[in-house]
Amino acid sequence: MTAVAEPGSSTTEVRRSTRSGAVGLIGAAVNGAFGFVLTTVIVRTFGADGSGALFSVIGLVTIVGAVCCLGADTALMWALPRRRLGPDGDAARLLPLAVLPTAGLALVVAVIGVAAAEPISRALLDDADGATLVRLAFAGVPVIVASTVLLAAVRATRPVAAYVGVQFLLVPIARPVLVIAAVLSGGGVVLGFGGWLLPVAAALLIALALVAGPLGVSAGAVLRPQAADWRVFWGFALPRAASVAVDASSMWVGVLLTGALATQAEAGVFAAVGRYALAGLLVMQGLRVAIAPQLSRLLGAGRRADAAQVYRRTSLWIVVLSWPAYLMLAVFAPAFLELFGAEFRGGATPMAVLAVAMLVNVGVGLVQTVLLMSGNSRGHLLATVAGLLLNVVLCLVLVPRHGALGAALAWSAGIVCENVLAAVLARRALGEALFGRTLVRCALAVTGATGAAAAIGALLAGRGLPGLAVALAVVAAGCLASLCDRRVRAALGSVRSQLKPAPTRENPS
């Protein structure tokens, strides 16, 4: 007699997405907390000018690394769940197809970047160690690319906890520790960037070990791709390559253009504000990595109704958990920026602008993921290019006069444009409505409750840290009071039941 879980049902798929989503959320919380710690360490240690240089080079290497990945990481997330794993399967032959071209391109770019470090430094940085910083950044590009591609393979072939443990726990925890160690040893911005880069090398080695087993590499799986593999894989990956570069550029293009068109200090302010804005996306990121392979499998099998149900449940989680954070960020921007120091107080208005734009971003849910996992990488590219073009054009117009505020307005317009286009295309991919009445009611309730708490805090104690503390206390009291509502208790009970292992049935052998 063998105990097996009930396969294929909608209930099973929702349960699976809930369990994976919970793991992703825990990882996202840790990632966000230590990302904030890292940002605080950088801005407190190096000031507006030094942090502007460090954030600029991080932005540079992020964009270059994303371009060199050629979309292969997302292509693995899309393709592997549709393949057979193990030594007798056809999944392993996708690995060299993804790794070899991207690693080769990364090596070529690294050599060119190291050779051109001086002119790149003069164009982007004011720091005396700028050329050395640029050389180190380009030397790390092959490591970043290989790590990104292999971690995508880990996510597509192992339970989400394996990916979360490396990408959401190891890397973000190690970075501030190593940056602090660099500062304590008397190092400057260059050594600080080394502390940011080193955990990526550790992640690469761990990913190599984790991916070998499921793909059957150590058991003799075939690694030679067929002609059809190249055509299908890169037919998806190459349009995604461009949209990945756009995604990576969304914030960093504003940092780079602000440094070039305004001042390095304004770039540092905008980078710090942008880190706050992106921190709220970690809930979405945690859920994205949790359910992307599941969406690919369901859409590949033609189960669009089940995919839509998983999407709507995930969108509900995102709105409930993310909207309060962004509403608080908009109202109490001065309080959050006080933690970075007096140099960053001018970022309060840009932060409020970005927080409002992010309400739209998280409000539409994982529309980009639905689009990609349906195989429509070209549609995703269309949406991201439209958003980036609007961002760049508005940066050129607004940044010279308004600095960080102009960059925030430009990025916000790009965010809204991209998400509206992606939502339209995702609706077509699912064949069902993206949003239901439950999501609308929850969004209105979250907005009303959080807005009331923020208003109480601001009126009683201002928009600084005391006002924020009052508002958070009101939110906490409201959450406790909501437990008296039978519907709230029933919803929590439903979530708890979905987090338990799936029920089993006896299957006669």
Side-chain angles (χ1 to χ4, degrees):
M1 307 291 283
T2 306
V4 296
E6 191 72 33
S9 68
S10 296
T11 301
T12 301
E13 296 300 339
V14 171
R15 182 187 299 274
R16 180 179 290 116
S17 67
T18 302
R19 290 169 62 84
S20 297
V23 175
L25 286 175
I26 293 171
V30 175
N31 189 14
F34 279 90
F36 173 78
V37 170
L38 175 63
T39 301
T40 305
V41 168
I42 289 174
V43 299
R44 284 286 189 180
T45 302
F46 301 111
D49 287 329
S51 64
L54 189 51
F55 284 131
S56 292
V57 81
I58 290 173
L60 175 65
V61 77
T62 299
I63 296 171
V64 171
V67 171
C68 291
C69 281
L70 295 175
D73 51 334
T74 308
L76 286 175
M77 288 275 286
W78 167 70
L80 286 176
R82 305 175 183 221
R83 297 276 182 139
R84 300 188 313 276
L85 301 179
D88 299 323
D90 59 349
R93 64 192 194 208
L94 295 180
L95 195 60
L97 187 153
V99 172
L100 295 180
T102 54
L105 176 61
L107 286 170
V108 171
V109 170
V111 171
I112 295 173
V114 169
E118 290 285 350
I120 293 174
S121 173
R122 287 195 298 269
L124 297 178
L125 305 175
D126 297 333
D127 196 273
D129 295 323
T132 304
L133 197 56
V134 170
R135 290 190 189 96
L136 179 59
F138 275 100
V141 167
V143 178
I144 292 171
V145 169
S147 174
T148 301
V149 173
L150 288 173
L151 280 171
V154 170
R155 177 60 202 100
T157 57
R158 283 189 176 270
V160 66
Y163 177 89
V164 167
V166 179
Q167 186 68 10
F168 284 2
L169 300 182
L170 171 66
V171 173
I173 291 174
R175 276 175 170 163
V177 172
L178 291 175
V179 171
I180 291 172
V183 172
L184 292 177
S185 66
V189 174
V190 173
L191 198 56
F193 179 74
W196 181 89
L197 185 61
L198 188 59
V200 181
L204 169 61
L205 298 177
I206 296 171
L208 279 170
L210 287 175
V211 80
L215 292 180
V217 174
S218 56
V222 176
L223 291 173
R224 184 175 182 179
Q226 297 179 357
D229 295 328
W230 285 92
R231 183 175 62 255
V232 173
F233 184 89
W234 287 106
F236 175 94
L238 289 178
R240 175 56 177 157
S243 62
V244 165
V246 173
D247 286 340
S249 303
S250 294
M251 169 186 164
W252 295 112
V253 71
V255 175
L256 296 175
L257 286 176
T258 303
L261 300 175
T263 66
Q264 198 71 61
E266 284 285 319
V269 169
F270 178 66
V273 166
R275 298 298 292 182
Y276 266 123
L278 292 176
L281 295 182
L282 289 172
V283 170
M284 182 182 285
Q285 183 183 356
L287 292 172
R288 176 183 293 119
V289 301
I291 71 165
Q294 183 183 9
L295 287 174
S296 176
R297 176 173 52 79
L298 291 173
L299 292 169
R303 297 169 60 185
R304 299 203 295 177
D306 290 339
Q309 187 176 6
V310 170
Y311 166 82
R312 285 192 288 266
R313 176 62 64 91
T314 306
S315 297
L316 184 62
W317 281 43
I318 292 171
V319 167
V320 169
L321 295 174
S322 298
W323 270 30
Y326 280 121
L327 290 169
M328 289 291 182
L329 204 63
V331 176
F332 296 104
F336 288 99
L337 288 169
E338 281 183 35
L339 301 176
F340 287 164
E343 292 176 285
F344 296 89
R345 289 175 182 167
T349 302
M351 183 182 290
V353 169
L354 282 175
V356 173
M358 289 299 178
L359 291 176
V360 177
N361 193 356
V362 300
V364 298
L366 298 175
V367 287
Q368 290 92 347
T369 304
V370 170
L371 206 53
L372 289 169
M373 294 303 104
S374 70
N376 190 6
S377 57
R378 289 176 175 82
H380 186 269
L381 174 60
L382 171 66
T384 54
V385 167
L388 179 63
L389 287 177
L390 185 58
N391 185 1
V392 171
V393 169
L394 290 179
C395 271
L396 294 174
V397 173
L398 298 174
V399 166
R401 288 190 61 185
H402 303 287
L405 176 59
L409 289 168
W411 188 19
S412 297
I415 288 169
V416 174
C417 174
E418 176 184 343
N419 279 278
V420 169
L421 288 176
V424 172
L425 296 173
R427 169 66 176 81
R428 295 177 184 174
L430 287 177
E432 295 195 16
L434 297 179
F435 314 113
R437 293 181 180 178
T438 302
L439 178 62
V440 174
R441 287 197 299 266
C442 285
L444 291 174
V446 165
T447 302
T450 308
I456 292 171
L459 290 172
L460 292 180
R463 297 176 63 199
L465 288 174
L468 176 60
V470 171
L472 293 177
V474 173
V475 169
C479 290
L480 291 175
S482 69
L483 295 178
C484 298
D485 190 317
R486 177 178 54 82
R487 292 169 298 181
V488 173
R489 293 198 303 272
L492 292 175
S494 174
V495 172
R496 283 197 300 269
S497 68
Q498 291 167 4
L499 291 175
K500 295 177 182 177
T504 59
R505 61 180 174 89
E506 295 297 321
N507 184 33
S509 56

